[in-house]
Structure formats: C-alpha cells, structure tokens
Amino acid sequence: MKNTDLTEQWSAMQRMFLPTAAISTTLRENARRFWENQEKALDSMQAFANGWFERRHTGAHTAREAAERMCGTETFFDLIQAYQDWASGALERIMADGLSCQQQMMAVTGALASPPLAPSASEKEAEPARSEAKTPARSKTA
C-alpha cells in the first residue's frame, strides 16, 4: 500500500484551485466595484420611489382640497377654475414623475455601464505594448 502525505496533497490542491495573489487582487477589486454599482443602483431606485410617494401624497392632499373648493363654489366658472387649478398641479406631478424616472434610468444605466471588471495584471502589462504598436495617424495635406 502506498503511503500518502495528506498535507502535501492538500497543498497541491490549493496551488491548483486557489487564485494567485495577482488574480486574488483582481477578484477583490471586481467584487468591490460590482457591489458599489449595486448600491448606486439601489440608492437611485430608492430616491425615485421616495419622490414618487411624496408626489402621490401631495396629489391626494390637493385633490381633497380641490374637491372641497368645488363643492363650495357658487358659480360654474368657480367650479371650472378649481378643477383647472387641481388639474394643472396633477400634470406637473406627472411631468415630475417622468423626469425623475428618466434621471433614475440614467443613474442605473451609468452604474451598470461603468466597467465592472478590473483588468488583470497580465492585461495591465500588455496595455503599453498595444499603445506602442499603433501607427501614428497621417496628416492631411492639401
């Protein structure tokens, strides 16, 4: 029967499967960037939701006030004026919803579009070689 040293086998498995220091650093940086981007997206979504709820509360409050004013009017003109005042505020809130949604989408897209992966050590070393290999642009002569 063959005598096996488990410590030696364990060390060999670690060398085979565990990342090297350079890879570990890159993985750590990638994980940090990924979770930072997740937090940015969540913060943006929370800001959008909070603003939406504030506008809905404002809308409910102004609708109640408008209904009270409309019920207390004596002329048709006053009724229409109270309704128009409420409707213009409602349209302003709808536009604010659209603007907020657009801003939230831009923030989330920016977080998702930022480079999530850090270049590995070998890619960093190859970068200067690539820039030196480029040929200079020709200038136009007339």
Side-chain angles (χ1 to χ4, degrees), residues 61-139:
H61 179 73
T62 57
R64 181 181 53 87
E65 289 177 345
E68 289 173 359
R69 278 195 312 276
M70 286 188 278
C71 290
T73 59
E74 294 181 12
T75 66
F76 185 70
F77 177 79
D78 292 338
L79 176 81
I80 296 300
Q81 184 64 47
Y83 174 78
Q84 283 180 337
D85 292 343
W86 169 80
S88 67
L91 289 174
E92 287 175 8
R93 285 185 295 280
I94 289 171
M95 290 174 60
D97 286 344
L99 179 62
S100 180
C101 182
Q102 181 183 14
Q103 290 170 340
Q104 193 267 339
M105 290 298 185
M106 289 172 49
V108 169
T109 302
L112 295 176
S114 66
L117 302 177
S120 66
S122 62
E123 289 174 342
K124 288 179 183 177
E125 293 170 2
E127 186 62 31
R130 278 190 233 142
S131 62
E132 292 171 5
K134 292 181 181 177
T135 58
R138 294 184 191 172
S139 62

